Amino acid sequence: MTAKPAGANADPQFWARAKAHLVRYGGAFAPLIAESAHGNWFTDADGRRILDFTSGQMSSILGHSHPEIVAVARRYIGELDHLYSTVLSRPVVDLATLLAEIAPGKLDRALFISTGGESNEAALRMAKLVTGRHEIVAMSRSWHGVTGGAASNTYSSSRTGYGPAQPGAFVLPAPDTYRSRFVDDRGAYDWKSELDFGFELIDRQSTGALAACIVEPILSSGGVLEPPDGYIAALAEHCRRRDMQLIFDEAQTGLGRTGHLFACERDGVAPQYLTLSKTLGAGLPLAAMLTTPDIEDVAAERGFLFYTTHASDPLPAAVGLKVIEVILRERLAERAAALGTRLKGGLQALQQRYDCIGDVRGRGLLLGLDLVKDRRTKAPDPELAQRVAAECLQRGMMTSVVRGGFGIFRIAPPLTVEPAEIDLGLEIFDKSLAAALR
Ligand SMILES: Cc1ncc(COP(=O)(O)O)c(C=O)c1O
């Protein structure tokens, strides 16, 4: 974002101390000071309410400070907060049992840790241990985290400057329905040829040690790339033929956001591992790695080690239980589907009026708005996207533009967003596009 803080948000002491004492971990800080967050809004130092169309960092699916989450967190911080990592408690076993009931396929065993990167690390380590192989395939626009193994298989953002990735990290072209170079005679996206070619290249690079393929069912940080119908099933078949295990990273898509409880339900494919994070704690640090009993038994026999400080912590597990209870009780997946249709319709209406909107995509409440310099060439317009984001913030709405040189907004309000707030968000986009184009 290009704007500078103003009014009480400009507090010179605050910014001087931030500059003196904070590590800059991911680009410019937003030009405001957040003071509180409730429901689908947060409030800045000027008392200005800001509509949260990013769900915090894509996590707060129940909005902020949901009263039931607050009650559970208060209770557990006072009664049962954190334990030695091999000591079990009821919330942990209850959450594992509930996830086994609702997850696709036979993902009956769970490991609870804190972050998405860790959950993917755990799945990758287990796949390596169980298969005895080490090569991992991931998508060219993936984001799986910044820890070693996850970062080795993350391609949507900068890999430059951190030395070698783990050996055997291979890339598949991400399914980009809008910009793929693979088109058939009629100009339609030929995802099958692209996928087959991708695996042909992997076979040529592999030393016979393919272990797993890790995939987001919708590639969110890569620009909200929704694989076409049939793609994930075809990918799973490629993996099956090579005896590779499949890991679905549902950090962002999991627990209702896409209109299904798990995005992979649309594709009718159950993986060997499914990772959850952001949405599972709905803003608190909780992540899970789910796998099947067959796989977990082999891993345990071989002494699987993923021992972390916060493994099986009761407090976040109790929060995760409550998050899922609310999602199921309030039928939030269905709500996401319905409100997503309203939001997508509104964005498509804007596309009719603004030539700079090249594409509107995604499903449920995980939508992408792709800004271009020219609809014919589809050249991305990252500068325009930054200007629009700054205009949105000025008008009271937080948005997220993905990294990597594109001009793609990732639009993901909490699942508790009200229809009137969707309409307000659309109005703010409309005014902000107009202002940024002036
Ligand atoms: C799909 C996906 N997986 C994993 C991660 C990493 O999660 P964390 O930042 O909690 O380690 C992210 C974070 O954006 C993500 O979007």
Side-chain angles (χ1 to χ4, degrees):
M1 273 185 224
T2 45
K4 289 224 172 334
N9 290 305
D11 179 347
Q13 274 208 353
F14 174 93
W15 291 107
R17 284 187 294 129
K19 188 166 183 211
H21 302 303
L22 289 180
V23 167
R24 287 156 285 182
Y25 49 81
F29 293 112
L32 55 78
I33 304 170
E35 301 286 10
S36 63
H38 295 282
N40 306 317
W41 300 76
F42 64 99
T43 304
D44 73 5
D46 269 334
R48 205 172 45 130
R49 292 179 78 225
I50 296 163
L51 185 57
D52 188 356
F53 260 39
T54 67
S55 298
Q57 187 60 43
M58 312 300 290
S59 303
S60 306
I61 44 173
L62 305 183
H64 298 277
S65 306
H66 188 285
E68 292 180 66
I69 303 300
V70 172
V72 169
R74 282 211 170 112
R75 178 179 156 202
Y76 276 86
I77 197 69
E79 280 180 19
L80 189 58
D81 54 355
H82 159 83
L83 298 164
Y84 193 71
S85 295
T86 53
V87 176
L88 289 181
S89 59
R90 293 188 188 284
V92 166
V93 174
D94 289 349
L95 182 57
T97 309
L98 178 58
L99 282 167
E101 268 169 40
I102 64 172
K106 201 117 186 54
L107 297 168
D108 289 353
R109 303 251 165 107
L111 165 71
F112 298 113
I113 52 275
S114 309
T115 67
E118 273 181 291
S119 66
N120 291 325
E121 249 9 285
L124 292 167
R125 275 169 74 91
M126 191 174 274
K128 288 177 184 175
L129 184 68
V130 165
T131 60
R133 303 186 291 265
H134 69 279
E135 291 171 349
I136 306 293
V137 173
M139 294 284 173
S140 59
R141 304 261 289 276
S142 57
W143 183 291
H144 298 297
V146 296
T147 52
S152 290
N153 296 290
T154 288
Y155 297 96
S156 70
S157 211
S158 174
R159 290 163 69 87
T160 308
Y162 307 103
Q166 290 181 351
F170 299 148
V171 70
L172 269 182
D176 185 343
T177 51
Y178 183 53
R179 286 197 181 82
S180 174
R181 293 180 184 86
F182 279 75
V183 284
D184 65 18
D185 300 344
R186 289 168 292 118
Y189 175 32
D190 185 2
W191 59 262
K192 196 168 175 310
S193 298
E194 185 185 65
L195 186 61
D196 292 346
F197 182 60
F199 270 101
E200 195 183 312
L201 295 185
I202 281 161
D203 288 338
R204 288 187 186 280
Q205 295 166 84
S206 172
T207 57
L210 288 169
C213 178
I214 182 165
V215 184
E216 298 156 77
I218 295 177
L219 289 88
S220 176
S221 306
V224 192
L225 305 180
E226 184 187 14
D229 266 329
Y231 182 96
I232 294 286
L235 174 86
E237 179 53 23
H238 271 291
C239 292
R240 198 195 55 75
R241 284 209 296 268
R242 291 165 179 80
D243 195 22
M244 295 166 70
Q245 300 189 328
L246 191 52
I247 303 166
F248 284 155
D249 177 350
E250 295 234 21
Q252 296 198 23
T253 54
L255 302 182
R257 179 168 288 293
T258 68
H260 286 97
L261 207 45
F262 299 91
C264 65
E265 287 170 30
R266 182 207 71 165
D267 304 297
V269 175
Q272 278 81 31
Y273 307 86
L274 191 147
T275 58
L276 293 170
S277 48
K278 296 173 181 287
T279 58
L280 183 58
L284 272 85
L286 172 65
M289 189 275 288
L290 311 182
T291 190
T292 67
D294 286 358
I295 291 175
E296 198 275 338
D297 282 343
V298 175
E301 265 167 37
R302 296 183 187 172
F304 179 67
L305 181 76
F306 203 86
Y307 195 88
T308 72
T309 304
H310 294 291
S312 295
D313 259 0
L315 187 157
V319 167
L321 263 175
K322 184 55 79 177
V323 169
I324 297 176
E325 183 194 314
V326 174
I327 290 169
L328 297 177
R329 188 188 69 216
E330 309 282 326
R331 305 174 86 83
L332 291 184
E334 286 166 38
R335 195 162 197 278
L339 290 173
T341 303
R342 185 185 188 108
L343 181 54
K344 194 170 188 181
L347 294 172
Q348 284 164 335
L350 290 178
Q351 189 183 20
Q352 302 291 318
R353 295 183 23 232
Y354 292 97
D355 283 347
C356 63
I357 302 181
D359 195 28
V360 175
R361 55 181 178 258
R363 64 182 192 268
L365 287 173
L366 181 54
L367 299 177
L369 189 74
D370 198 324
L371 301 190
V372 293
K373 292 187 171 136
D374 174 340
R375 276 196 185 170
R376 196 184 49 79
T377 63
K378 301 179 183 175
D381 201 339
E383 294 82 17
L384 175 62
Q386 289 304 332
R387 288 204 304 278
V388 174
E391 294 286 345
C392 284
L393 191 56
Q394 235 176 5
R395 288 173 174 76
M397 181 168 75
M398 185 73 197
T399 60
S400 153
V401 177
V402 305
R403 293 163 194 279
F406 294 95
I408 304 169
F409 279 89
R410 181 174 49 164
I411 304 171
L415 311 191
T416 50
V417 69
E418 293 295 336
E421 291 166 343
I422 296 264
D423 297 345
L424 176 63
L426 287 164
E427 191 188 317
I428 293 176
F429 263 121
D430 186 359
K431 289 185 176 150
S432 300
L433 280 160
L437 287 165
R438 239 177 252 137

